[in-house]
Amino acid sequence: MNWTRLKHSVGPHSICRMSDFKPVQFGVLGAGRIVQGQFVPALRASSLGELAAAASRDLNRAEALGPKRAYDSYDALLEDPDVEVVYVATHNGLHHPLGIKAFEKGKHVLCEKPLALNAEQCRELIAAATQHKRILAEAFMYRFHPQIHKALSLLKDGRVGALRTVEASFSFQLTKMDDVRLNPNWGGGGLLDVGCYCVNFCRQVMGRLPVAVTAMGTFHPKHDVDMSIHGVLDFTDGRYGVISCGFDAGLRNRALICGTEGVIHLPQTFVSWEQPPTVRLEAGDTREDFRFDKANVFQLEIEDLARAVRNGTPPLLAVDEGLRNALVLDALRQSARESGRRIEIGHP
C-alpha cells in the first residue's frame, strides 16, 4: 500500500505513516483451502499484518501455514496474548461459538461468511463485540475490488437511469458427497455458502433491506440441505433483486445492475482473482468496457481491518452487515422450504 492510499483511508486526523505502523497480529482458526491459498499469502504480502498464530485440529496443517506459533486446538490460540485479530475460517457451524469466545478473550474478529447460521446468532455476536468493545467484520472480500466501486459509481452517476433490478448468480457443481458443506449440523447448503454473496450484492446495490422474499429450491435427498435456491427480493417501489445459487449447476459468478436506460454487467463479481475482470456498461447505443488489473481482495480486506484496529477507523463492512444478510437468508430458506410462500423480513 502506498502513502497516498493510506492517507486517504484513515483521514487527516489519524494518519499513521507506513514507517510507524505496527503490524497487526493475526491468528487464524482453520487451515482450509481459502486460508492456504488466499488468506495467508495475502497476509504475507501485506506490511500491515502478520501471521502470529494458526490453529487446526491437525497440528501439521497449522504448522504448514508458517505462523510464529502453531496450535492443535482453537481454544489454545484464543489464549495467545499476542493475537489481536482472530480470523475465523472454520466450517459455518463454529463461526458463532468461536466468535463469542474470541471477544471474551479480548480479540477483534474477522469472520468468514456467513457470519453465523441465522439472524439470532448474528445478534449475539454483535452484542458480544459491543460489550467487549471489539471490531466484528464479515469477510466479504469481493466488496474490496475496484470493479465493485466502479459499478456503484456508474449507477450513482445515472448512467443506467433509475435502478430497477439487480440479478446475482453464484453456483458450482459440488461432487464430493462427504463435503462439509453438505452437513446440516454445520451450516451446510448452497444458500449459506454462495447465496450469501448474491444477497449481499443485491442489498449493497439497493442500499437497504428488502421488505419480503419468495424462493424455490431443491434439497439433497439424504442430507436435506439446499442444493439450489432461486429467489426474488422485493425492495418496494418496483425494485427487485433476483438471486440464483447452489451446488448443482455449472460455474456462475456474475451480476447485473439493470436500470431504466441500461445495464451494468459484472461477469466476475465474486471470484475476481483468476483473471482481470471487466465491468461492461450498455446504455442505448453506448457500450463501454472498464478493465481492471488483478487485485488482491484478501490483502485489501486484511489492510482495511488492520487500519481499523490501529487507527480507529470503521471497517468497510459495518458491524451489522452480517445480521442484515442473515435476515434475508433466513427468509429465503423458509420460503423455499414452504414452496415459495412470501416471507416478510424482520427488523434488524
Side-chain angles (χ1 to χ4, degrees):
M1 175 173 296
N2 59 39
W3 164 244
T4 301
R5 179 180 173 86
L6 184 62
K7 180 177 180 180
H8 174 74
S9 300
V10 302
H13 302 298
S14 58
I15 295 171
C16 178
R17 295 179 183 275
M18 292 296 295
S19 59
D20 299 330
F21 199 104
K22 180 182 178 182
V24 173
Q25 301 300 295
F26 281 78
V28 173
L29 299 180
R33 178 175 53 85
I34 291 297
V35 171
Q36 296 175 31
Q38 301 294 342
F39 190 84
V40 168
L43 188 56
R44 296 199 181 286
S46 176
S47 62
L48 304 192
E50 293 179 347
L51 183 59
S56 171
R57 289 166 179 170
D58 181 343
L59 182 60
N60 291 331
R61 287 167 63 87
E63 291 175 335
L65 297 174
K68 297 177 183 177
R69 294 170 298 282
Y71 299 101
D72 61 2
S73 80
Y74 300 142
D75 287 340
L77 184 145
L78 294 176
E79 294 289 347
D80 189 324
D82 294 330
V83 170
E84 299 174 272
V85 175
V86 170
Y87 173 52
V88 182
T90 61
H91 66 69
N92 298 339
L94 288 178
H95 290 184
H96 170 263
L98 290 177
I100 296 294
K101 288 182 178 181
F103 289 130
E104 291 173 347
K105 299 299 180 180
K107 318 297 187 186
H108 303 285
V109 173
L110 174 63
C111 184
E112 262 306 326
K113 40 52 63 187
L115 185 62
L117 299 185
N118 52 54
E120 186 54 37
Q121 288 188 354
C122 290
R123 289 191 179 95
E124 292 173 0
L125 282 167
I126 293 170
T130 302
Q131 176 187 350
H132 296 283
K133 299 179 180 179
R134 300 289 90 181
I135 296 168
L136 170 62
E138 190 174 22
F140 273 117
M141 76 297 173
Y142 87 93
R143 294 273 294 266
F144 293 87
H145 199 288
Q147 69 165 332
I148 303 299
H149 307 310
K150 182 62 179 180
L152 295 176
S153 176
L154 291 170
L155 175 64
K156 182 178 179 181
D157 291 344
R159 298 293 301 276
V160 294
L163 179 61
R164 284 292 173 261
T165 306
V166 181
E167 302 175 19
S169 304
F170 200 179
S171 66
F172 64 95
Q173 190 70 241
L174 184 63
T175 57
K176 292 176 57 179
M177 289 300 100
D178 60 346
D179 195 290
V180 67
R181 288 170 288 191
L182 293 179
N183 189 320
N185 298 318
W186 291 349
L191 184 64
L192 289 186
D193 190 64
V194 287
C196 59
Y197 286 95
C198 301
V199 169
N200 186 273
F201 185 81
C202 290
R203 288 182 39 249
Q204 178 189 14
V205 174
M206 289 292 183
R208 62 177 186 257
L209 277 171
V211 298
V213 305
T214 56
M216 299 294 287
T218 59
F219 296 85
H220 195 281
K222 176 182 178 182
H223 302 293
D224 198 35
V225 299
D226 60 279
M227 296 299 288
S228 69
I229 294 285
H230 312 280
V232 177
L233 287 57
D234 182 359
F235 287 92
T236 71
D237 302 324
R239 296 183 176 187
Y240 296 92
V242 180
I243 73 157
S244 179
C245 65
F247 295 150
D248 62 354
L251 179 62
R252 292 177 295 165
N253 164 38
R254 62 174 183 257
L256 301 175
I257 301 173
C258 308
T260 54
E261 299 174 18
V263 179
I264 301 167
H265 301 257
L266 295 92
Q268 296 163 258
T269 315
F270 309 115
V271 179
S272 59
W273 52 86
E274 294 181 347
Q275 56 184 337
T278 298
V279 172
R280 172 167 293 174
L281 169 67
E282 294 181 348
D285 295 331
T286 299
R287 173 172 159 173
E288 294 183 62
D289 285 345
F290 302 91
R291 304 183 188 280
F292 299 85
D293 295 330
K294 285 188 177 181
N296 191 329
V297 290
F298 291 91
Q299 183 177 344
L300 294 173
E301 172 185 72
I302 288 166
E303 292 176 346
D304 175 71
L305 190 58
R307 289 191 296 272
V309 171
R310 287 286 178 263
N311 298 299
T313 54
L316 178 66
L317 273 74
V319 67
D320 64 347
E321 273 286 311
L323 169 59
R324 291 178 178 276
N325 230 47
L327 288 168
V328 182
L329 296 171
D330 288 355
L332 285 166
R333 188 187 303 108
Q334 181 181 351
S335 179
R337 289 285 186 187
E338 299 180 13
S339 301
R341 184 168 73 87
R342 179 180 170 91
I343 305 295
E344 306 294 321
I345 302 296
H347 191 276

